[in-house]
């Protein structure tokens, strides 16, 4: 067994731990159970001790981390379940199916909480668009997300997308899903004693066997033939499964729900039992199969898609079966809960595995040596080279640069309205807004992260990610309630990699505390590196907030003659900025510092202005700084503006920084708005006025002027060419 | 007034259709694709979505559902049938409307707001619009390129069966989002009681959702009955 | 009863614009494989039982008729073989 | 140079789930056409020039290789004919 353990990649010290917990040698099947359950993907061996530090409590929190998704209250008895999840490795192998099954998986997580999935966001990272393979991956991933999300009828309402050299070999594909539920319908992965456990949905085949373990290994150089079978998503079956499951919950037929994700039956059943403080006996002969001759290991580890596990309420077994029959789906009891706290597996009438559930669920954790990568430090401390460029040209070039260009070519492929809840579609606001029909409540959501900041300063980068996602939610008028984090990093087994993991989580912790935002769910994907090159530490942060639906702000100038104001500092910084990269090809310098108290105040202030109806147009300043943000505000309605700035240098026009927001106020309410800001002691400046068909900027060095149409054309073209070409 | 909304496996705009019908004051009930009886309904709505995953061809498999025989009978009696998006595809696949909907020329799913011109206003569906009015309506489809052979097309145009046509909202030159022949966005049968259209009026019935240009279509149905 | 496998081709009628074929053409050209034209259709491999080859052929054709849309498609029974 | 038309079939590898085939199967069953299985793939009709049949075959196979996704698909050159 020890040899087999080595062959399938179980480290020696873990094999010893297995012997100790079992008090005997595992058999072959048991060894594979440990293999998948103790994979980084399932067990969070390296991140668990660090994640413990994050704040998880909050007024709105109904369910924190530890379940299939987090849940927050939004009022009037409604709650929102949400979570982000990565599907990086499968997407690198087969972008279309990898992304599609990623979407399917996160949707089932949300269903498991008893919530109806109502929105998706996607957070994508690829190598530079000039790279042919990166383009191929981008196109495949976007098509795959569209394929699954559109067909299952969950709108994709937002996301973010960055190109960066660091993702050339390791693209990132994370999907976030939000679900809506009545508080009383909240479900957990629980079962009481002696209950049958039902298997529902698609039949089991040999798909993605060992995928969970695979996801935690470095992408090998194996030939394509050697790679595990690709999992194929079936959004059609997924839709039927979703409706049947939600109907069963609605009709109050189930006490517990659990999706079958990574490590399939093994993980879903053993965790369900473990969380319930019970054991489970699984009869593999009852599992519906698609292929003949599947052995116990294959059945236990298969990652066939569109499958769920349900525990009926006592006496509701028949009704549950009936619901699934109506939707044309298998729904059969395959297991039952038992008092002994073991995961017992029967195959052809014999016990083929029996392992304490606790031993499977609680893998050893690691705390490792951390040390900053000296190269990162060197880059961060590299002085910013002197920059000289014509601002007129620079704005056009920045707008056309891959990280700033319009994402329309991406989100146009996603149905962002199905469900008739979408009140702010992508491109109209900094965050998506969904309407809870039948109420005046709205839900806002946005996911964000800047790889340049995180690469040069992992801690600060993580703080920015949370601050920006939260700011985006605030500028549409919503109060941020909580967040989910998708942590994507390199191997923790090097001191540099572990340092980045540690720093990233430390940054999140600091920002969470300062902004008063708890984490309620998340995902960790490590070992995103190849040839010793780690991806930039990437903490994709998805923030969810709540608003009064009629009091929402858009990002585009709509009415001529409104006053344009800047809240926050006038000048930005050039370290790690897009304009620096554009002009020099370098990613160096210290990313903008962030004053978290200021951040909180600025967000509160803009929410107040929106709630009071003083502004209906607000947009945060991000990559590309002031002029890019102004240009972006002219795009949705083609309305221009004339503004005056006190400084004309590149840092003032294109520098970046946190806690900055542009917004407009009708003239007659200007005094009221500024008074509010003064009361809060916040810096602001009146920049100018909306109107006309140009963006006109008066600087001490002269007047800059662009046709809105010309800016728009420059901004729209690049990604269209990549995606449609 | 009571309308049936047919639910095929994979329909996903069924709730949206109900929302719009109810907003217009029409009672709406879901009817399963196996239903054999549509008595008691004043109209049938075939919603958008991906019936049977849009596998084989959009709408092809749903067109063979048991309920479609009943929808055909229903239409032959002169009662109202509306198919939106996937519903339109089902209607053409079932032969209740002429022509076919092929893959968009850009070859991908396209979700955005488009301009849609109202070509005739003597139908219950359009009586509350102005002739030539350009509506803002969302589209969301991958197979919406209307195709019919030249003869059929000529007949459609001759008989005034083209109800909705893509049109510019502003000055844009490329306003036809999918390559439909003659910019066709929606048609009726000869008798004028079966309407198929690719744009989604049911998604544009409330200012919160970004527009209300779809609402008069449903209100028109109510008025028609009220006389 | 013997089992048969039919290979059914469902293709767009001549004269109907096939953007997918065009796109493949473009890709091939870009890769240095100039081709004159590409048309993309569907192939269905259907396995079913029948009394004999004759009946199998009938059945296969009936399926083709059922599954193709005559407005824009034509189908052909490309191959039919008995399975062991 | 002579022109050739190649019929290339691109189908899913065995063992890879074919949801489309499954759905068609289900519908056919429901319509009283019992079939054992359906797998759906693509057919490409490609027209190109080549020196002779041998070279044409080589070219056609190269195209198949290029257009099939090796992770999930296999291709077969179903037919090849010279065009008048
Ligand atoms: N991958 C994506 N999928 C869907 N929508 C996206 C994606 N990337 C960006 N968007 C949308 O494009 C708009 C601009 O996004 P982004 O550039 O991230 O904004 P910001 O700079 O304010 O964070 C938003 O509406 C966002 O939701
Ligand atoms: Mg951003």
């Amino acid at each position: 067994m020890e040899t087999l353990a080595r062959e399938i990649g179980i480290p020696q010290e873990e094999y010893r731990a297995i012997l100790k917990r079992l008090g005997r040698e595992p058999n072959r099947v048991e060894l594979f159970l440990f293999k998948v359950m103790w994979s980084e993907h399932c067990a969070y061996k390296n991140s668990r001790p660090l994640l413990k530090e994050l704040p998880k409590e909050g007024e709105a929190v109904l369910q924190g981390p530890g379940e299939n998704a987090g849940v927050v209250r939004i009022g009037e008895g409604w709650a929102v379940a949400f979570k982000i999840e990565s599907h990086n490795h499968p997407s690198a192998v087969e972008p279309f199916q990898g992304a599609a099954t990623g979407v399917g998986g996160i949707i089932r997580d949300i269903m498991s909480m008893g919530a109806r999935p109502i929105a998706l966001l996607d957070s994508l990272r690829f190598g530079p668009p000039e790279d042919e393979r990166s383009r191929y991956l981008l196109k495949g991933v976007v098509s795959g997300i569209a394929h699954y999300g559109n067909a299952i009828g969950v709108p994709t309402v937002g996301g973010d997308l960055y190109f960066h050299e660091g993702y050339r070999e390791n693209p990132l594909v994370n999907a976030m899903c939000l679900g809506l539920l009545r508080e009383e319908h909240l479900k957990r992965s629980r079962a009481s004693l002696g209950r049958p456990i039902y298997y529902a949905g698609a039949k089991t085949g040999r798909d993605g066997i060992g995928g969970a373990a695979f996801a935690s290994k470095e992408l090998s150089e194996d030939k394509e033939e050697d790679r595990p079978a690709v999992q194929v998503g079936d959004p059609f079956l997924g839709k039927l499964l979703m409706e049947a499951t939600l109907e069963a919950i609605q009709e109050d037929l189930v006490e517990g729900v659990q999706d079958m994700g990574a490590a399939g039956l093994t993980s879903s059943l053993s965790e369900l039992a473990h969380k319930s403080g019970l054991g489970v006996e699984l009869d593999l002969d009852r599992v519906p199969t698609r292929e003949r001759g599947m052995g116990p290991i294959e059945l236990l580890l298969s990652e066939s898609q569109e499958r769920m596990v349900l525990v009926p309420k006592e006496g509701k077994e028949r009704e549950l079966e009936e619901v699934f029959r109506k939707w044309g789906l298998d729904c059969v009891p395959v297991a039952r809960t038992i008092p002994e706290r073991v995961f017992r597996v029967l195959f052809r009438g014999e016990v083929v595995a029996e392992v304490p559930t606790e031993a499977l669920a609680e893998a050893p954790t690691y705390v490792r040596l951390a040390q900053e990568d000296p190269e990162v430090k060197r880059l961060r401390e590299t002085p910013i080279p002197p920059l000289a460029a014509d601002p007129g040209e620079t704005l056009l070039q920045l707008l056309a640069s891959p990280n700033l260009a319009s994402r329309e070519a991406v989100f146009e492929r996603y149905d962002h309205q199905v469900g008739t809840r979408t009140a702010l579609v992508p491109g109209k606001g900094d965050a998506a807004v969904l309407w809870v029909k039948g109420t005046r409540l709205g839900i806002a959501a946005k996911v964000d992260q800047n790889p340049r900041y995180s690469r040069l300063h992992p801690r600060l980068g993580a703080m920015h990610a949370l601050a920006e996602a939260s700011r985006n939610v605030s500028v549409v008028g919503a109060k941020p309630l909580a967040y989910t984090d998708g942590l994507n990093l390199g191997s923790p087994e090097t001191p540099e990699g572990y340092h980045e993991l540690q720093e990233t989580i430390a940054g999140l912790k600091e920002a969470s505390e300062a902004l008063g935002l708890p984490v309620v769910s998340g995902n960790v994907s490590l070992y995103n590196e190849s040839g010793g090159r780690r991806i930039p530490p990437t903490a994709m942060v998805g923030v969810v907030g709540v608003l009064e639906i009629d009091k929402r702000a858009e990002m585009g100038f709509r009415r001529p003659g409104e006053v344009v104001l800047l809240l926050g500092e006038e000048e930005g910084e050039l370290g790690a900025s897009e304009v620096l990269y554009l002009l020099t090809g370098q990613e160096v310098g210290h990313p903008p510092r962030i004053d978290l108290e200021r951040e909180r105040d600025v967000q509160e202030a803009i929410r107040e202005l929106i709630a009071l109806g003083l502004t209906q147009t607000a947009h945060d300043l991000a990559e590309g700084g002031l002029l890019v943000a102004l240009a972006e505000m002219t795009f949705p309605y083609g309305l221009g503006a004339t503004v005056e700035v006190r400084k004309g240098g590149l840092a003032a026009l294109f520098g970046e920084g946190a806690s900055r927001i542009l917004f407009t106020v009708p003239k007659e309410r200007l005094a009221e708005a500024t008074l509010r800001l003064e009361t809060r002691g916040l810096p602001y400046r009146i920049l100018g006025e909306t109107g006309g068909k140009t963006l006109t900027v008066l600087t001490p060095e002269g007047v800059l002027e662009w046709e809105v149409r010309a800016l728009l054309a420059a901004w729209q073209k690049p990604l269209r060419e990549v995606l449609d070409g | 007034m009571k309308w049936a909304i047919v639910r095929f496996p994979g329909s996903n705009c069924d709730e949206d259709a109900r929302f719009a019908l109810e907003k217009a004051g029409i009672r709406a009930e879901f009817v399963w694709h196996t239903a054999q009886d549509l008595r008691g309904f004043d109209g049938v709505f075939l919603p958008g979505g991906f019936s049977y995953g849009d596998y084989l061809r959009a709408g092809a498999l749903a067109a063979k559902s048991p309920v479609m025989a009943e929808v055909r009978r229903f239409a032959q009696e002169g009662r109202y049938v509306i198919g939106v998006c996937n519903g339109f595809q089902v209607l053409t696949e079932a032969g209740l409307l002429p022509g076919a909907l092929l893959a968009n020329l850009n070859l991908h799913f396209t979700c955005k707001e488009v301009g849609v011109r109202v070509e005739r206003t003597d139908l219950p569906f359009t009586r509350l619009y102005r002739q030539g009015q350009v509506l803002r309506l969302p589209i969301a489809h991958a197979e919406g390129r209307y195709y019919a052979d030249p003869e059929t097309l000529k007949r459609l145009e001759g008989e005034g069966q083209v109800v909705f046509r893509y049109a510019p909202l502003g000055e844009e030159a490329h306003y036809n989002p999918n390559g439909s022949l003659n910019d066709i966005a929606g048609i009726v049968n000869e008798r004028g009681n079966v309407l198929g259209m690719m744009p989604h009026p049911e998604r544009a019935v409330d200012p919160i959702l970004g527009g209300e240009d779809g609402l008069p279509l449903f209100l028109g149905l109510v008025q028609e009955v009220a006389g | 009863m013997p089992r048969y496998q039919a290979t059914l081709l469902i293709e767009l009628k001549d004269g109907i614009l096939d953007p997918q074929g065009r796109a493949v053409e473009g890709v091939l050209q870009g890769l240095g494989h100039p081709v004159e034209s590409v048309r993309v259709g569907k192939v269905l491999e259907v396995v079913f039982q029948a009394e004999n080859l004759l009946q199998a052929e009938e059945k296969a054709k009936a399926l083709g008729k059922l599954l193709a849309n005559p407005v824009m498609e034509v189908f052909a029974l490309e191959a039919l073989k008995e399975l062991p």
Side-chain angles (χ1 to χ4, degrees), chain A, chain B, chain C:
Chain A
M1 274 310 130
E2 192 160 359
T3 331
L4 178 64
R6 201 166 38 228
E7 272 168 24
I8 62 175
I10 298 178
Q12 209 176 5
E13 72 266 23
E14 288 189 10
Y15 183 70
R16 270 193 237 110
I18 293 172
L19 290 181
K20 212 166 117 200
R21 301 219 192 160
L22 280 184
R24 62 175 166 87
E25 247 202 1
N27 66 30
R28 207 181 147 80
V29 177
E30 289 166 344
L31 195 64
F32 273 93
L33 297 183
F34 279 104
K35 161 76 186 162
V36 290
M37 291 302 292
W38 285 19
S39 67
E40 183 65 32
H41 186 83
C42 289
Y44 290 58
K45 286 182 290 196
N46 288 286
S47 53
R48 197 143 34 108
L50 299 170
L51 288 170
K52 272 210 307 263
E53 299 295 312
L54 293 178
K56 303 179 180 66
E57 316 272 304
E59 243 177 278
V61 178
L62 263 178
Q63 175 64 56
E67 282 292 326
N68 290 302
V71 183
V72 293
R73 270 190 206 96
I74 56 166
E76 299 184 32
W78 290 99
V80 176
F82 64 99
K83 182 177 193 289
I84 192 168
E85 192 150 86
S86 67
H87 232 216
N88 305 332
H89 295 273
S91 304
V93 175
E94 214 310 288
F96 182 93
Q97 291 298 341
T101 51
V103 169
I106 189 66
I107 287 177
R108 283 190 296 282
D109 271 321
I110 298 307
M111 279 155 55
S112 303
M113 304 307 297
R116 169 168 287 277
I118 58 161
L120 289 160
L121 293 92
D122 59 332
S123 192
L124 311 178
R125 304 288 182 273
F126 296 97
E130 301 80 61
D131 174 41
E132 196 187 314
R133 191 177 137 75
S134 295
R135 281 203 306 275
Y136 162 76
L137 291 172
L138 167 67
K139 286 188 199 179
V141 164
V142 169
S143 306
I145 293 170
H147 166 70
Y148 202 103
N150 296 352
I152 198 170
V154 178
T156 303
V157 298
D160 72 340
L161 164 63
Y162 280 89
F163 300 94
H164 188 284
E165 187 54 46
Y167 303 112
R168 191 188 279 264
E169 307 294 332
N170 292 273
L172 301 183
V173 176
N174 284 214
M176 173 174 166
C177 185
L178 278 74
L180 187 63
L181 68 155
R182 298 290 306 164
E183 280 182 37
E184 66 269 19
H185 284 149
L186 177 61
K187 287 285 172 268
R188 294 192 173 85
S189 176
R190 291 289 184 286
S192 44
L193 182 59
R195 302 298 308 140
I197 302 176
Y198 277 70
Y199 167 119
K203 296 187 196 309
T204 298
R206 292 190 172 87
D207 317 63
I209 303 274
F214 165 67
S216 301
K217 253 196 307 182
E218 259 188 89
L219 266 191
S220 64
E221 315 261 310
D222 296 352
K223 281 202 230 65
E224 260 144 6
E225 291 80 46
D226 302 337
R227 285 183 182 148
V230 174
Q231 306 162 41
V232 173
D234 184 355
F236 170 54
L237 217 153
K239 166 78 173 162
L240 303 179
L241 182 60
M242 177 167 90
E243 294 304 334
T245 304
L246 293 174
E247 188 173 320
I249 292 168
Q250 199 74 36
E251 302 291 319
D252 203 22
L253 307 180
V254 294
E255 61 174 54
V257 190
Q258 168 68 45
D259 68 302
M260 259 189 260
L265 275 168
T266 300
S267 146
S268 56
L269 291 182
S270 68
E271 281 180 13
L272 173 77
H274 180 62
K275 284 182 192 159
S276 309
L278 298 169
V280 64
E281 185 175 283
L282 163 65
D283 185 354
L284 289 176
D285 300 326
R286 290 169 168 247
V287 173
T289 55
R290 196 175 81 222
E291 293 172 68
R292 258 173 252 206
M294 290 184 69
I297 295 176
E298 290 175 315
L299 287 165
L300 282 164
L301 304 194
S302 164
E303 297 192 343
S304 287
Q305 300 291 302
E306 342 298 348
R307 300 181 302 165
M308 296 289 287
V309 158
L310 298 131
V311 186
K313 287 201 164 160
E314 185 125 35
K316 301 286 188 187
E317 292 82 355
R318 292 292 153 284
E319 279 175 68
L320 180 70
E321 290 169 18
E322 201 35 59
V323 167
F324 279 80
R325 186 167 320 128
K326 184 178 107 192
W327 289 96
L329 298 170
D330 279 319
C331 180
V332 292
V334 295
R336 65 188 175 85
T337 46
I338 54 176
E340 311 90 291
R341 297 188 180 191
V342 296
F343 181 48
R344 183 185 298 147
V345 183
L346 300 168
F347 182 66
R348 303 207 176 131
E350 281 178 34
V351 176
V352 291
E354 182 163 329
V355 182
T357 49
E358 187 176 354
L360 284 179
E362 288 175 4
T365 56
Y366 298 95
V367 176
R368 299 179 188 271
L369 201 69
Q371 192 182 21
E372 181 172 25
D373 186 341
E375 175 63 6
V376 170
K377 183 161 189 279
R378 189 186 67 77
L379 291 171
R380 185 172 62 241
E381 290 173 359
T382 301
I384 308 290
L387 299 180
D390 165 34
E393 258 312 294
T394 304
L395 178 58
L396 285 164
Q397 287 172 4
L398 264 180
L399 287 172
S401 67
N403 287 336
L404 296 181
S406 170
R407 269 60 187 136
E408 193 176 73
V410 174
F411 60 68
E412 191 177 282
R413 298 188 183 197
Y414 303 148
D415 189 337
H416 37 252
Q417 285 171 303
V418 57
T420 46
R421 293 187 185 86
T422 315
L424 268 188
V425 297
K428 279 279 172 79
D430 282 9
V433 172
L434 295 144
W435 176 27
V436 183
K437 281 190 277 187
T439 74
R440 302 322 282 173
L441 292 170
I443 303 160
K446 179 70 170 91
V447 58
D448 242 303
Q449 184 265 352
N450 176 320
R452 299 195 200 288
Y453 296 179
S454 298
R455 172 152 179 264
L456 291 166
H457 198 315
R459 180 185 292 240
L460 194 50
M463 289 163 54
H464 273 290
L466 182 56
E468 185 180 348
S470 168
R471 196 183 319 125
N472 282 328
V473 163
S474 286
V475 298
V476 299
K479 179 172 169 38
L481 296 176
Y483 71 97
T484 183
D485 60 333
L487 303 183
N488 303 265
L489 295 99
S491 166
E493 294 175 29
T494 64
E496 297 80 19
Y498 192 71
H499 173 84
E500 289 178 352
L501 180 63
Q502 215 176 32
E503 285 291 294
T504 298
I505 295 175
L508 279 182
K509 174 176 193 276
E510 200 176 324
S512 302
E513 282 167 355
L515 299 176
L517 285 178
V519 64
V520 293
S521 59
N523 179 253
V524 182
S525 163
L526 301 179
Y527 301 94
N528 292 289
E529 60 179 71
S530 29
R533 282 175 54 99
R534 303 180 303 278
I535 60 162
T538 307
M540 296 161 174
V541 176
V543 170
V544 169
V546 63
L547 69 154
E548 221 179 289
I549 193 70
D550 299 309
K551 295 186 177 152
R552 62 185 190 277
E554 294 190 15
M555 66 178 277
F557 295 138
R558 266 175 294 176
R559 279 168 295 269
E562 289 198 336
V563 184
V564 180
L565 293 99
L566 171 67
L567 172 56
E569 301 300 331
E570 280 182 67
E571 198 162 352
E573 300 174 38
L574 292 173
S577 67
E578 280 292 333
V579 69
L580 175 65
Y581 185 79
L582 174 79
L583 297 176
T584 67
Q586 290 188 56
E587 181 177 277
V588 296
H590 201 291
R593 281 154 249 262
I594 176 167
D595 174 344
L596 290 165
E597 238 161 86
R598 164 68 64 80
E599 182 67 47
R600 197 193 52 213
D601 291 348
V602 159
Q603 291 189 27
E604 264 174 31
I606 195 71
R607 290 200 302 269
E608 182 188 44
L609 296 184
I610 296 169
L612 291 171
L614 293 170
T615 178
Q616 291 175 22
T617 306
H619 181 39
D620 96 301
L621 276 72
E623 295 85 8
L626 180 64
L627 286 203
V628 166
L630 279 167
E632 286 169 347
M633 295 178 85
T634 68
F635 295 151
Y637 296 96
L639 181 63
T642 301
V643 301
E644 183 177 3
V645 295
R646 282 192 291 199
K647 275 199 181 172
L650 291 173
L653 300 179
F654 303 109
E656 299 171 13
S659 323
R660 305 164 79 201
I661 294 168
L662 282 163
F663 64 100
T664 70
V665 176
K667 276 188 191 131
E668 63 278 11
R669 307 198 67 181
L670 181 61
E672 199 181 337
T674 53
L675 179 66
R676 299 265 162 192
L677 298 179
E678 276 155 25
T679 318
R680 288 176 180 270
L682 288 173
Y684 72 90
R685 226 178 92 72
I686 296 169
L687 292 183
E689 202 176 304
T690 60
K693 297 254 177 250
T694 63
L695 175 62
T696 307
V697 181
L698 317 174
T699 78
E701 280 92 54
V703 178
L704 302 166
E705 188 166 65
W706 301 265
E707 293 282 334
V708 168
R709 233 184 334 183
L711 294 174
L712 184 64
W715 182 66
Q716 280 179 328
K717 208 169 81 173
L719 269 195
R720 281 239 173 260
E721 284 177 354
V722 170
L723 276 146
D724 298 359
Chain B
M1 190 154 50
K2 192 169 86 174
W3 274 58
I5 299 168
V6 177
R7 273 183 141 175
F8 300 103
S11 293
N12 65 29
C13 304
D14 42 357
E15 290 287 353
D16 302 352
R18 174 154 77 179
F19 177 67
L21 286 164
E22 286 179 351
K23 176 130 194 181
I26 300 170
R27 256 173 56 213
E29 252 174 50
F30 291 132
V31 166
W32 198 234
H33 61 113
T34 51
Q36 312 267 2
D37 190 356
L38 292 169
R39 267 175 301 185
F41 291 106
D42 300 289
V44 171
F45 194 100
L46 306 184
F50 287 67
S51 55
Y52 293 93
D54 270 4
Y55 294 139
L56 197 62
R57 277 184 316 278
L61 299 177
K64 306 188 184 344
S65 305
V67 75
M68 286 310 293
E70 184 60 20
V71 172
R72 188 185 311 274
R73 212 164 17 241
F74 194 86
Q76 275 161 2
E77 287 167 11
R79 286 187 283 167
Y80 300 123
V81 177
I82 301 179
V84 166
C85 199
N86 196 226
F88 186 14
Q89 293 161 339
V90 174
L91 288 173
T92 57
E93 281 284 345
L96 282 167
L97 287 173
L101 293 147
L102 308 185
N104 296 351
L105 280 188
N106 66 13
L107 284 178
H108 44 74
F109 192 95
T110 304
C111 178
K112 63 176 187 185
E113 194 175 75
V114 298
V116 177
R117 191 169 60 235
V118 181
E119 298 285 75
R120 63 186 269 203
T121 54
D122 60 342
L123 295 165
F125 320 104
T126 53
R127 54 183 287 163
L128 297 183
Y129 294 119
R130 278 176 286 107
Q131 181 78 27
Q133 185 180 349
V134 176
L135 315 175
R136 279 179 183 275
L137 293 178
I139 55 159
H141 60 250
E143 281 109 11
R145 173 169 47 118
Y146 186 78
Y147 166 84
D149 59 61
E151 255 169 64
T152 309
L153 205 56
K154 214 169 123 198
R155 204 181 58 236
L156 280 177
E157 294 288 4
E159 304 287 319
Q161 284 173 250
V162 177
V163 183
F164 296 113
R165 234 186 271 275
Y166 299 112
L169 280 169
E171 290 149 21
E172 71 271 24
H174 304 286
Y175 55 83
N176 179 335
N178 51 29
S180 281
L181 292 179
N182 296 9
D183 298 332
I184 289 174
I187 57 173
V188 277
N189 61 349
E190 269 171 57
R191 199 163 164 183
N193 64 318
V194 178
L195 170 73
M197 63 191 296
M198 288 313 294
H200 285 276
E202 82 283 12
R203 292 188 181 186
V205 295
D206 195 297
I208 293 177
L209 302 173
E212 297 183 281
D213 282 2
L215 191 58
L217 188 146
F218 300 97
L219 292 172
L221 299 171
V222 180
Q223 282 216 354
E224 182 76 11
V225 173
Chain C
M1 242 201 287
R3 295 160 65 231
Y4 293 87
Q5 169 163 347
T7 305
L8 286 165
L9 302 188
I10 301 186
E11 302 180 275
L12 280 179
K13 279 184 185 167
D14 278 348
I16 296 197
L17 183 60
D18 173 20
Q20 204 182 347
R22 286 280 167 92
V24 175
E25 255 169 67
V27 170
L28 290 177
Q29 239 107 44
L31 292 171
H33 291 262
V35 295
E36 197 180 299
S37 75
V38 181
R39 310 261 307 160
V40 183
K42 278 188 275 266
V43 51
L44 280 79
E45 305 280 3
V46 190
V47 176
F48 57 94
Q49 297 191 337
E51 299 287 351
N52 50 43
L53 196 66
L54 213 70
Q55 202 209 12
E57 189 177 331
E58 244 170 58
K59 281 199 176 185
K61 287 194 173 154
L63 290 177
K65 213 163 157 180
L66 193 67
L67 295 174
N69 179 341
V71 176
M72 77 273 204
E73 293 172 333
V74 287
F75 81 92
L77 177 56
E78 176 73 11
L80 179 64
K81 63 167 185 244
E82 192 176 332
L83 293 178

